[in-house]
Amino acid sequence: KDADVKDVLRTFAKITGLNVVVDPEVTGAVTVQLENVPWDQALDIILRINGLTYQVENNVLRVTKLEKLKAEKETLAKYLEEAEKSKPMRTVRNVLSYMSVQEATSVLVTGSFLLSKYGTLIQDPRNNAITIRDTADRVPGILALIDEMDVPVQQVIIEARIVEATRNFARKIGVSWGFNANNDAQHGTTTGWRFPYTAITTGAV
């Protein structure tokens, strides 16, 4: 009840084990009763009712006013934009083997994650080539993407084999079972037949 927000933040630091950094502008009082509420949700509620917000970087939790963080982000965005503008530029020409310049262009100009805000692309349909000019740190990634896309399209070969058979051929398919039995004087016999003699028996199915 009517607790100073800085004291409450120190309590959160003990609960979470995080290092808490509070901006000098942070002020306010806290009156809450929370049960079975996750600490991050409770912290967010307490900060919002006081017009505050937080950032977590590694194991450091920073608490500041919402307006100040918004202004910092806007300043950082402007700084990054100026830094991007001041980067050295590089120009490369790439001859495509399998893709058309129209296909490559449609991929490279989609979104801003490939070409930067200051990047340009020139088509050369006659030679199926494109010329790219962008910051030196973006060009290698663009060229690597083109190399991955500029490959032959996979093709599928379908082969069919036809086997012709006549009715006579179909009748000859199968297994022929047979046997041969020879009884003669050279092999002897257990019967009472007179020697010499020869008896040959054959059969087939």
Side-chain angles (χ1 to χ4, degrees):
K1 180 179 179 181
D2 294 330
D4 188 274
V5 68
K6 294 182 180 180
D7 295 334
V8 176
L9 292 174
R10 279 193 288 268
T11 303
F12 275 102
K14 295 179 181 179
I15 294 174
T16 61
L18 295 173
N19 299 309
V20 177
V21 177
V22 182
D23 281 5
E25 299 85 356
V26 172
T27 57
V30 178
T31 300
V32 294
Q33 180 178 345
L34 300 173
E35 296 180 5
N36 298 323
V37 178
W39 72 265
D40 54 344
Q41 182 181 351
L43 177 63
D44 184 64
I45 293 172
I46 291 171
L47 293 180
R48 279 194 287 118
I49 62 178
N50 286 279
L52 304 173
T53 186
Y54 71 95
Q55 277 185 323
V56 178
E57 297 181 5
N58 298 325
N59 65 335
V60 177
L61 187 145
R62 179 201 173 192
V63 179
T64 184
K65 285 186 173 294
L66 184 61
E67 295 80 4
K68 182 178 181 180
L69 184 62
K70 181 179 179 181
E72 287 181 359
K73 289 185 176 181
E74 291 177 353
T75 303
L76 179 61
K78 292 180 181 178
Y79 169 77
L80 294 177
E81 183 177 355
E82 293 296 328
E84 185 81 8
K85 185 187 300 185
S86 62
K87 289 181 179 179
M89 304 294 287
R90 180 183 172 190
T91 303
V92 294
R93 186 174 186 272
N94 193 298
V95 179
L96 304 174
S97 299
Y98 303 98
M99 294 181 67
S100 64
V101 292
Q102 292 79 10
E103 293 172 334
T105 302
S106 64
V107 174
L108 296 178
V109 300
T110 302
S112 59
F113 63 96
L114 293 176
L115 287 176
S116 69
K117 182 179 179 180
Y118 309 100
T120 56
L121 188 147
I122 301 175
Q123 298 182 10
D124 183 6
R126 185 181 62 178
N127 297 311
N128 200 39
I130 55 176
T131 301
I132 302 168
R133 179 172 175 79
D134 208 337
T135 56
D137 58 341
R138 284 187 180 245
V139 170
I142 297 174
L143 295 178
L145 178 62
I146 294 176
D147 291 339
E148 292 181 3
M149 295 188 303
D150 191 26
V151 294
V153 179
Q154 294 184 354
Q155 298 180 356
V156 178
I157 299 177
I158 300 177
E159 294 183 353
R161 296 183 179 182
I162 300 176
V163 178
E164 296 183 359
T166 62
R167 291 183 178 273
N168 293 334
F169 174 78
R171 291 194 185 100
K172 292 180 180 179
I173 297 177
V175 179
S176 177
W177 300 94
F179 63 90
N180 295 311
N182 295 328
N183 293 326
D184 54 28
Q186 295 178 356
H187 295 87
T189 181
T190 57
T191 66
W193 295 346
R194 303 174 73 184
F195 291 97
Y197 75 90
T198 298
I200 300 174
T201 304
T202 62
V205 177

